[in-house]
Amino acid sequence: MTPDQALKEATTGALRPVYLVLGEERWLVDRVVSAIREAAAKGGIAGFNEDKFTAGDAPVESILGAARMLPMMGPRRFVLVRSVERWEKKDDGDDGDGDDERGGASGKRGVKQASPLDALAEYAKAPSPSAVLVLVGAKLHGQRRLVTTAKKGDFIVSCEPLNRRALPGFIATMAREKGNPIASDVAEQLAELAGPELGYVVDAIERLSLYVGPKQPITEDAIAQVVIRVRQSTVWELIDALGRRRLDRALSALADAYDPRDGGLRLLGAVSWSVRQMVKFESALATGASQAEAAQRAGVAPFKANDVAQSIRQLPKGALAGWMRLLAETDLALKSSRRPAQAVLETMLIEMCSH
């Protein structure tokens, strides 16, 4: 099931006895777990019928014992187990144990031992009706008995990172829930700057909502003030300098806009977003669209259409494709290289000027 389906179940109170919550998108995982926990506690004293474990730190017998224990002064018990993938790693021999393909581990003398994951799968076949057992992990092998049981029983919740194309829609929805409209091109910009981790995206929307005030739109200017230090107009000045092969002006713009607090990633995101607009603009013109139509398709403000068109005209053929490649390489370098971030960005500008 999807996170939204799990949240709906929690809202209605129609909880299942077991949930297997898998995925690497931490914000979705925490949201689902929090909603189930809150729903399970209704009708009782908060925290009274609650147990939390971490796989490997507690034996599976203790976890199952907690799940089978009758609740006191409430209708349900809530039992949470985090990092269940740690048991899979142990089964696969990380701690010196053997493993049959999908079943239990073997001890040092070859005596087969029950896998904690298999014990949980067995429990899920006949769970306690007065408990909600929530198992959380980043990832498990798709053929694990627990995973196949969860799929058949429809109690697996997939919390994978959101697709980049879906992120602007997510941003628009979250902003609307806050009471703040946001234009599609501004949502695209925020997706580029704040994504892909939803935790940071949601935090950015929260700060933007507080900044613009109730019922006010989230704008480019607000993003410049709250999410990044550089305004979009400054980014276009940088793009214009690159198009004119004015490395001195480009480096000067970088020095003015660079923020060491984020290692240049937000600035790179702003530049990447603008270059993507140029690519869309150029593509639209190539299909016969008018300048105004190309601006609309690319999400370029009408008053910037002439400037963008001029910047594209002064670039050699294929330059934008080269820029996109350099931007991707720079993103990787900023996240993995030991070189100073500003030096990485300066190298990128030098190479962009040579295209």
Side-chain angles (χ1 to χ4, degrees), residues 6-84:
L7 292 172
K8 185 176 181 180
E9 288 187 357
T11 301
T12 60
L15 295 176
R16 300 168 192 242
V18 183
Y19 288 90
L20 177 60
V21 184
L22 296 179
E24 297 181 347
E25 180 44 71
R26 193 70 191 177
W27 183 81
L28 287 176
V29 170
D30 290 345
R31 195 179 188 202
V32 168
V33 171
S34 178
I36 295 174
R37 176 179 176 268
E38 184 178 342
K42 286 183 179 179
I45 302 173
F48 195 74
N49 290 297
E50 195 173 294
D51 286 288
K52 298 179 181 178
F53 302 93
T54 299
D57 293 346
V60 71
E61 292 80 11
S62 297
I63 293 166
L64 296 178
R68 291 180 175 125
M69 188 183 300
L70 292 175
M72 294 181 64
M73 301 176 66
R76 301 186 189 94
R77 290 188 57 76
F78 174 79
V79 181
L80 174 66
V81 187
R82 292 195 179 274
S83 303
V84 294

Coordinates of all heavy atoms in Angstrom, one line a residue, residues 6-84:
A6 N -2.0 4.2 4.0 CA -1.7 3.9 5.4 C -2.2 5.0 6.3 O -2.8 4.8 7.4 CB -0.3 3.6 5.6
L7 N -2.0 6.3 5.9 CA -2.4 7.4 6.6 C -3.9 7.5 6.7 O -4.5 7.9 7.7 CB -1.9 8.7 6.0 CG -0.4 8.9 6.0 CD1 0.1 10.1 5.2 CD2 0.1 9.1 7.5
K8 N -4.6 7.1 5.6 CA -6.1 7.1 5.6 C -6.6 6.1 6.6 O -7.6 6.3 7.3 CB -6.6 6.8 4.2 CG -8.1 6.9 4.1 CD -8.5 6.7 2.6 CE -10.1 6.8 2.5 NZ -10.5 6.6 1.1
E9 N -6.0 4.9 6.6 CA -6.4 3.9 7.6 C -6.2 4.4 9.0 O -7.1 4.2 9.9 CB -5.6 2.6 7.4 CG -5.9 1.8 6.2 CD -5.2 0.5 6.1 OE1 -4.4 0.2 7.0 OE2 -5.5 -0.2 5.1
A10 N -5.1 5.1 9.3 CA -4.9 5.6 10.6 C -5.9 6.7 11.0 O -6.4 6.7 12.1 CB -3.5 6.2 10.7
T11 N -6.3 7.5 10.0 CA -7.3 8.5 10.2 C -8.7 7.9 10.6 O -9.4 8.4 11.5 CB -7.5 9.4 9.0 OG1 -6.2 10.0 8.7 CG2 -8.5 10.5 9.2
T12 N -9.0 6.9 9.9 CA -10.3 6.2 10.2 C -10.3 5.3 11.4 O -11.3 4.9 11.9 CB -10.8 5.4 8.9 OG1 -9.8 4.4 8.6 CG2 -10.9 6.3 7.7
G13 N -9.1 4.9 11.8 CA -9.0 4.1 13.0 C -9.0 2.6 12.6 O -9.0 1.7 13.5
A14 N -9.1 2.3 11.3 CA -9.2 0.9 10.9 C -7.8 0.3 10.7 O -7.3 0.0 9.6 CB -9.9 0.8 9.5
L15 N -7.1 0.1 11.8 CA -5.7 -0.3 11.8 C -5.6 -1.8 11.6 O -6.4 -2.6 12.1 CB -5.0 0.1 13.1 CG -4.9 1.6 13.4 CD1 -4.3 1.8 14.8 CD2 -4.0 2.3 12.3
R16 N -4.5 -2.2 10.9 CA -4.2 -3.6 10.8 C -3.3 -4.0 11.9 O -2.6 -3.2 12.6 CB -3.4 -3.8 9.4 CG -4.3 -3.4 8.2 CD -3.4 -3.3 7.0 NE -4.2 -2.6 5.9 CZ -4.6 -3.2 4.8 NH1 -4.2 -4.4 4.5 NH2 -5.3 -2.5 3.9
P17 N -3.2 -5.3 12.2 CA -2.4 -5.8 13.4 C -0.9 -5.7 13.1 O -0.1 -5.7 14.1 CB -2.9 -7.2 13.6 CG -3.5 -7.6 12.3 CD -4.1 -6.4 11.7
V18 N -0.5 -5.7 11.8 CA 0.9 -5.6 11.5 C 1.1 -4.7 10.3 O 0.3 -4.7 9.3 CB 1.5 -7.0 11.1 CG1 3.0 -6.9 10.8 CG2 1.2 -8.0 12.2
Y19 N 2.1 -3.9 10.3 CA 2.5 -3.1 9.2 C 4.0 -3.3 9.0 O 4.8 -3.2 10.0 CB 2.3 -1.6 9.5 CG 0.9 -1.1 9.4 CD1 0.1 -1.2 10.6 CD2 0.3 -0.7 8.3 CE1 -1.3 -0.8 10.6 CE2 -1.1 -0.3 8.2 CZ -1.8 -0.3 9.4 OH -3.1 0.1 9.4
L20 N 4.4 -3.5 7.8 CA 5.8 -3.5 7.4 C 6.1 -2.3 6.6 O 5.7 -2.2 5.4 CB 6.2 -4.8 6.6 CG 7.6 -4.9 6.1 CD1 8.6 -4.9 7.2 CD2 7.8 -6.2 5.2
V21 N 6.8 -1.3 7.2 CA 7.1 0.0 6.5 C 8.5 0.0 6.0 O 9.5 0.0 6.8 CB 6.8 1.1 7.5 CG1 7.0 2.5 6.8 CG2 5.5 1.0 8.2
L22 N 8.7 -0.1 4.7 CA 10.0 -0.1 4.1 C 10.2 1.1 3.2 O 9.3 1.5 2.5 CB 10.1 -1.4 3.3 CG 10.1 -2.8 4.0 CD1 10.2 -3.9 3.0 CD2 11.2 -2.8 5.1
G23 N 11.4 1.5 3.2 CA 11.8 2.6 2.3 C 12.8 3.6 2.8 O 13.1 3.6 4.0
E24 N 13.5 4.3 1.9 CA 14.6 5.2 2.3 C 14.1 6.7 2.5 O 15.0 7.5 2.8 CB 15.7 5.1 1.4 CG 16.3 3.7 1.3 CD 17.5 3.5 0.4 OE1 17.7 4.4 -0.4 OE2 18.2 2.5 0.5
E25 N 12.8 7.0 2.2 CA 12.4 8.3 2.4 C 11.9 8.5 3.8 O 10.8 8.2 4.2 CB 11.2 8.7 1.4 CG 10.7 10.1 1.5 CD 11.8 11.1 1.6 OE1 12.5 11.4 0.6 OE2 11.9 11.7 2.7
R26 N 12.8 9.1 4.6 CA 12.6 9.1 6.1 C 11.4 9.9 6.5 O 10.7 9.5 7.4 CB 13.9 9.8 6.7 CG 14.0 9.6 8.2 CD 14.2 8.2 8.6 NE 14.0 8.0 10.0 CZ 14.1 6.8 10.6 NH1 14.4 5.7 9.9 NH2 13.9 6.7 11.9
W27 N 11.1 11.0 5.7 CA 9.9 11.8 6.1 C 8.7 11.0 6.0 O 7.8 11.1 6.8 CB 9.9 13.1 5.2 CG 8.8 14.0 5.6 CD1 8.8 14.9 6.6 CD2 7.5 14.1 5.0 NE1 7.6 15.6 6.6 CE2 6.8 15.1 5.6 CE3 6.9 13.4 3.9 CZ2 5.5 15.4 5.3 CZ3 5.6 13.8 3.5 CH2 4.9 14.8 4.2
L28 N 8.5 10.2 4.9 CA 7.3 9.4 4.7 C 7.2 8.4 5.8 O 6.2 8.1 6.3 CB 7.4 8.8 3.3 CG 7.1 9.7 2.1 CD1 7.2 8.9 0.8 CD2 5.7 10.3 2.2
V29 N 8.4 7.7 6.1 CA 8.4 6.7 7.1 C 7.9 7.2 8.5 O 7.0 6.7 9.1 CB 9.8 6.0 7.3 CG1 9.8 5.1 8.5 CG2 10.2 5.2 6.0
D30 N 8.5 8.3 8.9 CA 8.2 8.9 10.2 C 6.7 9.4 10.2 O 6.0 9.3 11.2 CB 9.1 10.1 10.4 CG 10.5 9.7 10.7 OD1 10.7 8.5 11.0 OD2 11.4 10.6 10.7
R31 N 6.2 9.9 9.1 CA 4.8 10.3 9.0 C 3.9 9.2 9.2 O 2.9 9.3 9.9 CB 4.6 11.1 7.7 CG 3.3 11.9 7.7 CD 3.1 12.6 6.4 NE 2.0 13.5 6.4 CZ 1.3 13.9 5.4 NH1 1.6 13.5 4.2 NH2 0.3 14.8 5.5
V32 N 4.1 8.1 8.5 CA 3.3 6.9 8.6 C 3.3 6.3 10.0 O 2.3 6.0 10.6 CB 3.7 5.8 7.6 CG1 3.0 4.5 7.9 CG2 3.4 6.3 6.2
V33 N 4.5 6.2 10.6 CA 4.7 5.6 11.9 C 4.0 6.5 13.0 O 3.2 6.0 13.8 CB 6.1 5.4 12.3 CG1 6.3 5.0 13.8 CG2 6.8 4.3 11.4
S34 N 4.1 7.8 12.9 CA 3.5 8.7 13.8 C 2.0 8.6 13.8 O 1.3 8.6 14.8 CB 4.0 10.1 13.5 OG 3.4 11.0 14.4
A35 N 1.4 8.5 12.5 CA 0.0 8.5 12.4 C -0.6 7.2 13.0 O -1.6 7.2 13.6 CB -0.4 8.6 10.9
I36 N 0.1 6.0 12.7 CA -0.3 4.7 13.2 C -0.3 4.7 14.8 O -1.2 4.3 15.5 CB 0.5 3.6 12.6 CG1 0.2 3.5 11.1 CG2 0.2 2.3 13.3 CD1 1.1 2.5 10.4
R37 N 0.8 5.3 15.3 CA 1.0 5.3 16.7 C -0.1 6.2 17.4 O -0.7 5.8 18.4 CB 2.4 6.0 17.0 CG 2.6 6.2 18.5 CD 4.0 6.8 18.7 NE 4.3 7.1 20.1 CZ 4.0 8.2 20.7 NH1 3.5 9.2 20.0 NH2 4.3 8.4 22.0
E38 N -0.4 7.3 16.8 CA -1.4 8.2 17.4 C -2.8 7.5 17.3 O -3.6 7.6 18.3 CB -1.5 9.5 16.6 CG -2.5 10.5 17.1 CD -2.5 11.8 16.3 OE1 -1.5 12.1 15.6 OE2 -3.5 12.6 16.4
A39 N -3.1 6.8 16.2 CA -4.4 6.1 16.1 C -4.5 4.9 17.1 O -5.5 4.7 17.6 CB -4.5 5.6 14.6
A40 N -3.4 4.2 17.3 CA -3.4 3.1 18.2 C -3.6 3.5 19.6 O -4.1 2.7 20.4 CB -2.1 2.3 18.0
A41 N -3.2 4.7 19.9 CA -3.3 5.2 21.3 C -4.7 5.7 21.7 O -4.9 6.0 22.9 CB -2.2 6.3 21.6
K42 N -5.5 5.9 20.7 CA -6.9 6.5 21.0 C -7.7 5.5 21.9 O -7.7 4.3 21.7 CB -7.6 6.7 19.6 CG -7.1 7.9 18.9 CD -7.9 8.1 17.6 CE -7.4 9.4 16.9 NZ -8.2 9.6 15.6
G43 N -8.3 6.1 22.8 CA -9.1 5.3 23.8 C -8.3 4.9 25.0 O -8.8 4.2 25.8
G44 N -7.0 5.2 25.0 CA -6.2 4.8 26.1 C -5.3 6.0 26.6 O -5.4 7.1 26.1
I45 N -4.3 5.7 27.4 CA -3.4 6.7 27.9 C -2.2 6.7 27.1 O -1.5 5.6 26.8 CB -3.0 6.4 29.4 CG1 -4.3 6.3 30.3 CG2 -2.0 7.4 29.9 CD1 -4.0 5.9 31.7
A46 N -1.8 7.8 26.5 CA -0.7 8.0 25.6 C 0.6 7.4 26.2 O 1.0 7.8 27.3 CB -0.5 9.4 25.2
G47 N 1.3 6.5 25.5 CA 2.5 5.9 25.9 C 2.4 4.8 26.9 O 3.4 4.1 27.2
F48 N 1.2 4.5 27.4 CA 1.1 3.5 28.5 C 1.2 2.1 27.9 O 1.8 1.2 28.5 CB -0.3 3.7 29.2 CG -0.4 2.9 30.4 CD1 0.2 3.3 31.6 CD2 -1.2 1.8 30.5 CE1 0.1 2.6 32.8 CE2 -1.3 1.1 31.7 CZ -0.6 1.5 32.8
N49 N 0.6 1.9 26.7 CA 0.7 0.5 26.1 C 1.6 0.6 24.8 O 1.2 0.3 23.7 CB -0.8 0.1 25.6 CG -1.6 -0.2 26.8 OD1 -1.4 -1.1 27.5 ND2 -2.7 0.6 27.0
E50 N 2.8 1.0 25.1 CA 3.7 1.2 24.0 C 5.1 0.7 24.3 O 5.6 0.8 25.4 CB 3.8 2.8 23.8 CG 4.5 3.2 22.5 CD 4.4 4.7 22.3 OE1 3.2 5.2 22.2 OE2 5.4 5.3 22.3
D51 N 5.7 0.0 23.3 CA 7.0 -0.5 23.4 C 7.8 -0.2 22.1 O 7.2 -0.4 21.0 CB 7.0 -2.1 23.6 CG 6.6 -2.4 25.0 OD1 7.4 -2.2 25.9 OD2 5.4 -2.9 25.1
K52 N 9.0 0.2 22.2 CA 9.8 0.5 21.0 C 11.1 -0.3 21.1 O 11.8 -0.4 22.2 CB 10.2 2.0 21.0 CG 8.9 2.9 20.8 CD 9.3 4.3 20.8 CE 8.1 5.2 20.7 NZ 8.4 6.6 20.7
F53 N 11.5 -0.9 20.0 CA 12.7 -1.8 19.9 C 13.5 -1.4 18.7 O 13.0 -0.8 17.7 CB 12.3 -3.3 19.9 CG 11.5 -3.8 21.0 CD1 10.1 -3.8 20.9 CD2 12.1 -4.2 22.2 CE1 9.3 -4.3 21.9 CE2 11.3 -4.7 23.2 CZ 9.9 -4.7 23.1
T54 N 14.8 -1.8 18.7 CA 15.7 -1.7 17.6 C 16.2 -3.2 17.3 O 16.6 -3.8 18.2 CB 16.9 -0.8 17.8 OG1 16.4 0.5 18.1 CG2 17.8 -0.8 16.6
A55 N 16.0 -3.6 16.0 CA 16.4 -4.9 15.7 C 17.8 -5.2 16.0 O 18.7 -4.4 15.7 CB 16.1 -5.2 14.2
G56 N 18.1 -6.3 16.6 CA 19.5 -6.7 17.0 C 19.8 -6.3 18.4 O 20.6 -7.0 19.1
D57 N 19.2 -5.2 18.9 CA 19.5 -4.8 20.3 C 18.6 -5.5 21.2 O 18.9 -5.7 22.4 CB 19.2 -3.3 20.4 CG 20.3 -2.4 19.7 OD1 21.3 -3.0 19.3 OD2 20.1 -1.2 19.5
A58 N 17.4 -6.0 20.7 CA 16.5 -6.8 21.5 C 16.2 -8.1 20.8 O 16.1 -8.1 19.6 CB 15.2 -6.0 21.8
P59 N 16.1 -9.2 21.5 CA 15.7 -10.5 20.8 C 14.3 -10.4 20.3 O 13.4 -9.8 20.9 CB 15.9 -11.5 21.9 CG 15.7 -10.8 23.2 CD 16.3 -9.4 22.9
V60 N 14.1 -11.2 19.2 CA 12.7 -11.2 18.6 C 11.7 -11.7 19.6 O 10.5 -11.3 19.5 CB 12.7 -11.9 17.3 CG1 12.9 -13.4 17.5 CG2 11.5 -11.7 16.5
E61 N 12.1 -12.6 20.5 CA 11.2 -13.2 21.5 C 10.6 -12.1 22.4 O 9.4 -12.1 22.7 CB 11.9 -14.2 22.3 CG 12.3 -15.5 21.6 CD 13.6 -15.3 20.8 OE1 14.2 -14.3 21.0 OE2 13.9 -16.2 20.0
S62 N 11.4 -11.1 22.7 CA 10.9 -10.0 23.6 C 9.9 -9.1 22.8 O 8.9 -8.7 23.4 CB 12.1 -9.1 24.0 OG 13.0 -9.8 24.8
I63 N 10.2 -9.0 21.5 CA 9.3 -8.2 20.7 C 7.9 -8.9 20.5 O 6.8 -8.3 20.7 CB 9.9 -7.9 19.3 CG1 11.1 -7.0 19.5 CG2 8.9 -7.4 18.3 CD1 12.0 -7.0 18.3
L64 N 7.9 -10.2 20.2 CA 6.7 -10.9 20.1 C 6.0 -11.0 21.4 O 4.7 -11.0 21.5 CB 7.0 -12.3 19.5 CG 7.6 -12.3 18.1 CD1 7.9 -13.8 17.7 CD2 6.7 -11.7 17.1
G65 N 6.7 -11.1 22.5 CA 6.1 -11.1 23.8 C 5.3 -9.8 24.1 O 4.2 -9.8 24.6
A66 N 6.0 -8.7 23.7 CA 5.3 -7.4 23.9 C 4.0 -7.3 23.0 O 3.0 -6.7 23.5 CB 6.3 -6.3 23.5
A67 N 4.1 -7.8 21.8 CA 2.9 -7.8 20.9 C 1.8 -8.6 21.4 O 0.6 -8.3 21.2 CB 3.3 -8.2 19.5
R68 N 2.1 -9.7 22.1 CA 1.1 -10.6 22.6 C 0.5 -10.3 24.0 O -0.4 -10.8 24.4 CB 1.6 -12.1 22.6 CG 1.9 -12.6 21.2 CD 2.4 -14.0 21.3 NE 2.5 -14.6 19.9 CZ 3.6 -15.1 19.4 NH1 4.7 -15.2 20.1 NH2 3.6 -15.6 18.2
M69 N 1.2 -9.3 24.6 CA 0.8 -8.9 25.9 C -0.6 -8.1 25.8 O -0.8 -7.3 24.9 CB 1.8 -8.0 26.6 CG 1.6 -7.6 28.0 SD 2.8 -6.4 28.6 CE 4.3 -7.4 28.4
L70 N -1.5 -8.4 26.7 CA -2.8 -7.7 26.7 C -2.6 -6.2 27.1 O -1.8 -5.9 28.0 CB -3.7 -8.4 27.7 CG -4.2 -9.8 27.3 CD1 -5.1 -10.4 28.4 CD2 -5.0 -9.7 25.9
P71 N -3.3 -5.3 26.4 CA -3.2 -3.9 26.8 C -3.9 -3.6 28.1 O -4.8 -4.4 28.6 CB -4.0 -3.2 25.6 CG -4.9 -4.3 25.2 CD -4.2 -5.6 25.3
M72 N -3.4 -2.6 28.8 CA -4.0 -2.2 30.1 C -4.6 -0.8 29.9 O -4.0 0.2 29.4 CB -2.9 -2.1 31.2 CG -2.4 -3.5 31.5 SD -1.2 -3.5 32.8 CE -2.1 -2.9 34.2
M73 N -5.8 -0.6 30.3 CA -6.5 0.7 30.3 C -6.5 1.3 28.9 O -6.3 2.5 28.7 CB -5.9 1.7 31.3 CG -5.9 1.2 32.7 SD -5.0 2.2 33.9 CE -6.0 3.7 33.8
G74 N -6.7 0.4 27.9 CA -6.8 0.9 26.5 C -7.1 -0.3 25.6 O -6.9 -1.4 26.0
P75 N -7.5 0.0 24.4 CA -7.9 -1.1 23.5 C -6.8 -1.8 22.8 O -7.0 -2.9 22.3 CB -8.8 -0.4 22.4 CG -8.3 1.0 22.4 CD -7.8 1.3 23.8
R76 N -5.6 -1.1 22.6 CA -4.5 -1.7 21.8 C -3.2 -1.5 22.5 O -3.0 -0.5 23.2 CB -4.5 -1.1 20.4 CG -5.7 -1.3 19.6 CD -5.4 -0.7 18.2 NE -6.5 -0.6 17.3 CZ -7.3 0.5 17.1 NH1 -7.0 1.5 17.8 NH2 -8.3 0.5 16.3
R77 N -2.2 -2.3 22.0 CA -0.8 -2.1 22.3 C -0.2 -1.6 21.0 O -0.6 -2.0 19.9 CB -0.1 -3.3 22.8 CG -0.5 -3.7 24.2 CD 0.4 -4.8 24.8 NE 1.8 -4.5 24.8 CZ 2.3 -3.7 25.7 NH1 1.6 -3.1 26.6 NH2 3.6 -3.4 25.6
F78 N 0.8 -0.8 21.1 CA 1.6 -0.3 20.0 C 3.0 -0.8 20.2 O 3.7 -0.4 21.1 CB 1.5 1.2 19.8 CG 2.4 1.8 18.7 CD1 2.0 1.7 17.4 CD2 3.6 2.4 19.1 CE1 2.8 2.3 16.4 CE2 4.5 2.9 18.1 CZ 4.1 2.8 16.7
V79 N 3.5 -1.6 19.2 CA 4.9 -2.1 19.3 C 5.6 -1.7 18.0 O 5.2 -2.1 16.9 CB 4.9 -3.6 19.5 CG1 6.3 -4.2 19.6 CG2 4.1 -4.1 20.7
L80 N 6.7 -1.0 18.2 CA 7.5 -0.5 17.1 C 8.9 -1.1 17.1 O 9.6 -1.2 18.1 CB 7.7 1.1 17.2 CG 8.6 1.7 16.2 CD1 8.0 1.6 14.8 CD2 8.8 3.2 16.5
V81 N 9.3 -1.6 15.9 CA 10.6 -2.2 15.7 C 11.3 -1.5 14.6 O 10.8 -1.6 13.4 CB 10.6 -3.7 15.4 CG1 12.0 -4.3 15.4 CG2 9.7 -4.4 16.5
R82 N 12.4 -0.8 14.8 CA 13.1 -0.1 13.8 C 14.3 -0.9 13.3 O 14.8 -1.8 14.0 CB 13.6 1.2 14.3 CG 12.5 2.2 14.5 CD 13.0 3.7 14.7 NE 11.9 4.6 14.9 CZ 11.2 5.2 13.9 NH1 11.5 4.9 12.6 NH2 10.3 6.1 14.2
S83 N 14.8 -0.6 12.1 CA 16.0 -1.2 11.5 C 15.9 -2.7 11.4 O 16.9 -3.4 11.6 CB 17.2 -0.8 12.3 OG 17.4 0.6 12.5
V84 N 14.8 -3.2 10.9 CA 14.7 -4.7 10.7 C 15.7 -5.2 9.7 O 15.9 -6.4 9.7 CB 13.2 -5.1 10.4 CG1 12.3 -4.8 11.5 CG2 12.8 -4.4 9.1

